[in-house]
Amino acid sequence: LVWSLGVPTWIGLSLVLGLVMAIFTLFKYCGSNKQRLFRNEEGLSWESFTKSPSKGKGNNSRFFVTPIELATVENPSPAMSPMVNGEDMIHMNSLEGDATSFPRTWKKRGNLLRIIAVFILILLAAILITMGVWQSDDYIVFSRELHTDVVEFQLPEVVKTAAAMYSFDNFATKMNVDDLNRLQTDWCGKTFNKKLTSTAEKKDKIEDDYIEPFQIDMSLFQRPSFNDYDSVNDWFTRKIIPSVRPISQLADDSVLSSPADARVMVFETIPRDFTFWIKNEEFTLEAFLGSKDLSDTFKESTMIILRLAPQDYHRFHSPLVGTITSQKSLKGSIFSVNSDAMTSSNLAILNQRTVTIFDSPNFGEVAFVAIGATCVGSIEMTAKVGDTLSRGQDLGYFQFGGSSIVLLLRERVIVVDDDLLYRSSMKVETLLTMGSRLGIA
């Protein structure tokens, strides 16, 4: 139920546990509860009568009378009922007759538990109702291919969860959501690599869960049928037919092209232009690239961010002609990289990532950073140090989950296409296909 309403598994389990505890507390402590303090032949005694629904039929009440050893100032800690503290006992020592005005410690404790239980139930109900009736806004990107605004399809539960987690500054970081993301990512790895043995299972896990909801045109790929794949991850890393992704101005090595099907945001100069989108002053190139030397190399550089969604082709290709001079993997968080997460102050851009440096005859040193995300099993680089690549040649792929790529080019070595700069200034992503032109040296 909670999953269908848009709550991730770990929150759902927490809500269910809280609900069980709240109901248990209500049933255990709700019911008639009467107490009185009185004098009898044994002295001062405490009488309690409780009728509790947790006891069941035929045995739903209990009655007890507890003689109380009075406390004095000289002897403030007598052996007494745990329901009453020493200060109250000293107070009772001065009472005469029926001391029914004595503070009802046990009853107060029960009331507090009831209040907490009711609060938990109200909170759970509010969360479930909100997630059920909440209608999220459409996320609009501009399609360069179609020359118009388009609504990016996102699963409702993903949109609601991301909005709840990443709409508040540093919320996901302070709540240690990354620890839970790692557990979810481990689960994704095992689940999506599981071998699918029957056509019915493949249809359920691939076509019904992904191809149909995201309206993916499988005729673009080398294996067009869901039945051609052995696992969800096998399908996710599918290869495209090269002719459907022509490389823009292939003969001109001074052109920089998109390495993937993605939504693009461009910043001519960082960090000045970059901070207004990411909303976090802690971002540094040194932390991002994992190197002081590289941060000096790309100071005041041009940054191009390419965000991939689950429906995209998830292999990436070389955006330029150049030789790989270095490549290293950096540890980091694994936050989501959807639009809410990337623009939040949780620094999803510092997720686990692989930094590849190209030496290009037209652009000089260029950093290509592949960034993982929640449920990304791994970043696989098919090209290694020493390889010389042409534009459009295979460079690597992401396993299951949304992901991002960041390109860094040294100051004033590229003229970015005007349409990308214009929409980026309006905080609108531009949807491009792999091979589309980004700019020129």
Side-chain angles (χ1 to χ4, degrees):
L1 172 64
V2 293
W3 175 253
S4 68
L5 292 177
V7 183
T9 304
W10 63 271
I11 293 182
L13 293 175
S14 300
L15 293 179
V16 171
L17 179 61
L19 181 62
V20 171
M21 293 175 64
I23 292 175
F24 173 78
T25 302
L26 284 173
F27 270 81
K28 184 171 180 61
Y29 293 107
C30 283
S32 59
N33 185 278
K34 299 178 181 179
Q35 309 94 4
R36 71 187 182 97
L37 189 67
F38 67 98
R39 292 186 183 278
N40 56 17
E41 62 276 7
E42 297 180 357
L44 196 62
S45 295
W46 177 266
E47 179 187 63
S48 176
F49 175 84
T50 301
K51 186 175 182 179
S52 172
S54 66
K55 291 298 178 181
K57 293 182 179 180
N59 185 25
N60 63 348
S61 64
R62 62 176 181 268
F63 175 85
F64 59 87
V65 176
T66 305
I68 297 176
E69 180 183 345
L70 296 180
T72 64
V73 174
E74 293 78 17
N75 183 26
S77 302
M80 58 180 140
S81 167
M83 296 180 295
V84 187
N85 61 40
E87 183 180 350
D88 292 332
M89 295 297 292
I90 294 173
H91 168 69
M92 287 191 295
N93 196 31
S94 63
L95 294 178
E96 297 180 359
D98 185 13
T100 56
S101 62
F102 170 67
R104 291 173 170 85
T105 308
W106 173 248
K107 188 172 183 179
K108 287 182 178 179
R109 185 180 301 166
N111 285 339
L112 177 61
L113 290 172
R114 293 188 195 102
I115 291 171
I116 294 173
V118 170
F119 174 78
I120 291 174
L121 289 175
I122 292 174
L123 180 62
L124 293 176
I127 291 174
L128 294 177
I129 291 172
T130 299
M131 298 300 277
V133 303
W134 175 19
Q135 298 296 320
S136 57
D137 295 334
D138 290 335
Y139 186 76
I140 306 297
V141 299
F142 182 84
S143 171
R144 181 190 269 185
E145 182 180 11
L146 300 176
H147 303 287
T148 187
D149 291 340
V150 295
V151 176
E152 179 180 333
F153 175 76
Q154 297 177 335
L155 294 172
E157 57 266 27
V158 174
V159 175
K160 294 176 183 180
T161 302
M165 287 186 183
Y166 300 112
S167 293
F168 304 97
D169 286 347
N170 292 313
F171 176 79
T173 301
K174 292 177 180 177
M175 295 298 291
N176 293 321
V177 171
D178 188 53
D179 293 338
L180 297 164
N181 287 342
R182 292 183 186 280
L183 293 175
Q184 186 178 355
T185 300
D186 290 342
W187 176 85
C188 287
K190 294 176 182 177
T191 301
F192 299 136
N193 282 313
K194 180 182 177 182
K195 187 175 180 61
L196 305 176
T197 56
S198 68
T199 299
E201 192 176 17
K202 292 178 181 181
K203 184 179 186 306
D204 177 50
K205 298 299 183 182
I206 298 176
E207 184 175 57
D208 294 349
D209 285 355
Y210 298 102
I211 296 176
E212 290 297 333
F214 289 102
Q215 298 182 348
I216 297 171
D217 184 359
M218 290 300 294
S219 67
L220 303 177
F221 300 93
Q222 295 180 20
R223 290 181 286 169
S225 171
F226 67 85
N227 208 29
D228 295 332
Y229 299 90
D230 294 329
S231 68
V232 176
N233 235 342
D234 183 30
W235 170 81
F236 192 74
T237 58
R238 61 198 179 275
K239 292 184 177 182
I240 204 163
I241 298 172
S243 61
V244 305
R245 289 292 184 268
I247 308 301
S248 177
Q249 300 171 256
L250 182 58
D252 188 350
D253 291 345
S254 64
V255 171
L256 184 77
S257 58
S258 176
D261 290 3
R263 294 130 200 84
V264 177
M265 186 73 71
V266 178
F267 302 90
E268 279 193 289
T269 306
I270 58 169
R272 186 188 71 249
D273 292 343
F274 186 59
T275 52
F276 85 89
W277 196 62
I278 294 297
K279 300 187 300 188
N280 195 308
E281 296 179 357
E282 296 178 8
F283 173 81
T284 64
L285 278 177
E286 182 176 353
F288 180 58
L289 298 173
S291 166
K292 178 66 167 59
D293 291 340
L294 287 178
S295 69
D296 291 338
T297 298
F298 292 103
K299 182 180 180 181
E300 301 295 321
S301 61
T302 296
M303 174 181 277
I304 302 173
I305 301 178
L306 303 103
R307 180 178 63 85
L308 287 71
Q311 59 265 43
D312 291 327
Y313 166 59
H314 263 64
R315 288 181 175 267
F316 46 85
H317 302 253
S318 176
L320 47 75
V321 174
T323 300
I324 298 176
T325 59
S326 71
Q327 192 173 83
K328 62 179 177 180
S329 297
L330 298 177
K331 294 181 179 180
S333 53
I334 46 175
F335 290 124
S336 168
V337 293
N338 78 347
S339 55
D340 285 317
M342 285 297 287
T343 58
S344 74
S345 56
N346 296 283
L347 284 181
I349 199 169
L350 296 183
N351 279 1
Q352 61 186 24
R353 54 206 182 277
T354 299
V355 179
T356 299
I357 303 299
F358 281 92
D359 182 20
S360 167
N362 292 285
F363 298 99
E365 284 189 286
V366 176
F368 183 107
V369 185
I371 303 173
T374 306
C375 264
V376 174
S378 63
I379 303 167
E380 300 293 337
M381 304 300 297
T382 56
K384 305 298 181 181
V385 174
D387 291 347
T388 298
L389 280 70
S390 57
R391 257 192 322 132
Q393 191 170 341
D394 285 351
L395 181 55
Y397 58 89
F398 296 104
Q399 295 203 48
F400 194 88
S403 334
S404 288
I405 295 168
V406 172
L407 299 176
L408 288 173
L409 296 100
R410 299 176 71 171
E411 186 178 11
R412 291 190 293 274
V413 302
I414 184 174
V415 178
V416 178
D417 287 353
D418 289 339
D419 64 323
L420 301 179
L421 289 174
Y422 171 73
R423 292 189 181 87
S424 294
S425 70
M426 304 296 291
K427 300 184 183 179
V428 175
E429 294 178 302
T430 302
L431 179 62
L432 300 177
T433 55
M434 190 278 291
S436 300
R437 173 172 150 155
L438 298 174
I440 192 167

